[in-house]
């Protein structure tokens, strides 16, 4: 049995955002040819000969899943939704991997007099030239616009025109949604009225002189199965997800060890449990005078715990990153 997986090219394999390569390494896979910035289109997972991996562009990944070109793939939910606006297709989410978080937003120039998309359409109802919107998400954008109260008041149920290169669809040429191939924010400087784009912090939008009007959806990376992922392949896909999810979950924890006097080890253990400073009951290894206590703790709770155990004269505190955490 062989399962074909699509691994993302671009921001989801970037050391500053997603780094899917490191995720696979942390999950125990020996991945070759997928180092960020140096990816090959055919990727080798040396310690699992049942997995065949290819590099895929996020924009085309859902298409490949729907046509059985790859069995499973890691891709952002935004791209899956973009592909399935007009039809459900055969893509199913095996599970969210809790990284690569982003938002799909509507943005306009910072000096625009609009506070919402509805207000934008109402204030532009009498204009004579078409409203131009650039985006990499024409399907989600058209759906969102047609559901907008301001658009419905001005244009009713008419379908905005969508242009993807030479292909044109829709009847309302006063609202034109035009496909972009990245760097979408620059189209505002070239005369577009609004854009729909994904953003993490909004900093790049501010640099481009844009302001958000509203959020269309939140998205993160997940493992998705396509039409060909059934039976044995589906079971294998679930196993792969568990390995990967264990690695992403582990990133939230520290493995902490420290020593306390034997006579207060149980008191310290109770302190950790009562304050939620451990994922499960602490492990206590007793010596002649000191006991080593080992806990798995959420990273955001570590400073508070450290301050707490100092009151018990804890010593030899060692903190390590966790590679895999499976409950």
């Amino acid at each position: 049995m062989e399962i074909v997986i699509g691994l993302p090219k671009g921001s989801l394999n970037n050391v500053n955002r997603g780094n899917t390569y490191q995720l696979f390494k942390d999950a125990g896979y020996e991945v070759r040819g997928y180092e960020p910035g140096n990816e090959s289109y055919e990727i080798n997972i040396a310690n699992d000969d049942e997995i065949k991996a290819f590099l895929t562009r996020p924009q085309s990944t859902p298409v490949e899943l729907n046509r059985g070109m790859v069995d499973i793939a890691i891709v952002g939910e935004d791209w899956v939704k973009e592909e399935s606006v007009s039809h459900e297709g055969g893509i199913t989410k095996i599970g969210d991997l809790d990284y690569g978080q982003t938002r799909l937003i509507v943005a306009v120039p910072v000096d625009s007099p609009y506070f919402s998309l509805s207000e934008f359409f109402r204030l532009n109802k009498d204009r004579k030239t078409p409203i131009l919107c650039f985006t990499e998400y024409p399907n989600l954008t058209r759906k969102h616009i047609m559901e907008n109260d301001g658009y419905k008041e001005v244009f009713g149920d008419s379908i905005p025109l969508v242009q993807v290169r030479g292909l044109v669809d829709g009847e309302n040429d006063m609202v034109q949604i035009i496909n972009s191939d990245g760097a979408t924010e620059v189209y505002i400087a070239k005369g577009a009225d609004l854009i729909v784009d994904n953003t993490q912090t909004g900093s790049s939008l501010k640099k481009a002189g844009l302001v958000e009007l509203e959020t269309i959806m939140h998205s993160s990376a997940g493992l998705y199965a396509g039409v060909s992922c059934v039976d044995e392949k589906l079971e294998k896909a679930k196993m792969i997800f568990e390995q990967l999810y264990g690695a992403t979950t582990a990133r939230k924890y520290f493995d902490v060890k420290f020593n306390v006097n034997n006579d207060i080890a149980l008191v310290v253990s109770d302190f950790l449990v009562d304050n939620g400073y451990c994922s499960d009951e602490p492990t206590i290894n007793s010596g002649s005078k000191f006991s080593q206590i080992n806990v798995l703790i959420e990273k955001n709770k570590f400073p508070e715990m450290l301050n707490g155990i100092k009151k018990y004269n804890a010593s030899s505190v060692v903190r390590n990153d966790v590679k895999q955490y499976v409950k």
Side-chain angles (χ1 to χ4, degrees), residues 78-312:
D78 50 351
W79 295 112
V80 175
K81 294 291 186 184
E82 170 67 14
E83 167 72 4
S84 59
V85 164
S86 58
H87 65 285
E88 287 301 318
I91 301 175
T92 56
K93 181 190 281 189
I94 297 174
D96 190 271
L97 289 169
D98 196 26
Y99 76 101
Q101 285 83 359
T102 187
R103 293 177 298 118
L104 188 62
I105 56 94
V106 182
V108 294
V110 69
D111 57 356
S112 299
Y114 317 114
F115 297 97
S116 69
L117 187 59
S118 290
E119 185 182 32
F120 171 88
F121 284 117
R122 290 172 183 137
L123 292 179
N124 282 281
K125 66 179 180 179
D126 295 323
R127 67 184 280 170
K128 305 302 181 185
T129 57
I131 294 168
L132 301 182
C133 174
F134 280 77
T135 182
E136 291 185 85
Y137 303 85
N139 294 321
L140 282 172
T141 299
R142 178 154 70 177
K143 180 177 183 292
H144 187 73
I145 285 176
M146 291 187 68
E147 292 172 350
N148 179 266
D149 290 338
Y151 179 86
K152 289 188 284 188
E153 288 176 20
V154 177
F155 298 106
D157 295 328
S158 62
I159 301 173
L161 183 145
V162 167
Q163 180 177 346
V164 181
R165 297 182 180 84
L167 297 176
V168 178
D169 178 70
E171 59 196 43
N172 181 12
D173 59 8
M174 288 304 295
V175 178
Q176 300 186 12
I177 302 166
I178 303 166
N179 184 72
S180 69
D181 291 314
T184 303
E185 65 272 9
V186 303
Y187 286 100
I188 291 290
K190 297 176 181 178
D193 297 286
L194 66 161
I195 65 166
V196 171
D197 202 5
N198 57 34
T199 183
Q200 287 180 276
T201 64
S203 59
S204 60
L205 295 174
K206 291 178 182 177
K207 288 180 182 178
L210 304 178
V211 63
E212 298 178 28
L213 280 186
E214 57 194 49
T215 298
I216 294 177
M217 68 172 290
H218 293 263
S219 176
S220 60
L223 184 66
Y224 288 82
V227 294
S228 59
C229 186
V230 295
D231 302 329
E232 284 185 294
K233 288 186 178 183
L234 183 57
E235 292 306 310
K236 179 69 174 183
K238 291 177 180 178
M239 290 173 59
I240 294 171
F241 172 76
E242 289 298 325
Q243 286 290 108
L244 297 175
Y245 188 69
T248 58
T249 303
R251 293 174 177 178
K252 301 175 183 177
Y253 290 88
F254 285 134
D255 181 18
V256 180
K257 299 178 178 67
F258 59 91
N259 293 338
V260 294
N261 286 321
N262 282 338
D263 57 353
I264 61 168
L266 291 177
V267 174
V268 175
S269 177
D270 289 340
F271 164 77
L272 295 170
V273 172
D274 292 344
N275 287 278
Y277 292 148
C278 49
S279 61
D280 293 301
E281 185 178 353
T283 301
I284 302 175
N285 295 309
S286 299
S288 58
K289 293 182 180 180
F290 293 94
S291 293
Q292 184 186 71
I293 297 182
N294 184 198
V295 295
L296 202 63
I297 181 172
E298 294 177 36
K299 289 183 175 181
N300 60 354
K301 294 181 179 180
F302 175 74
E304 185 179 324
M305 184 206 76
L306 183 61
N307 186 61
I309 63 175
K310 285 180 179 179
K311 298 175 183 177
Y312 296 98

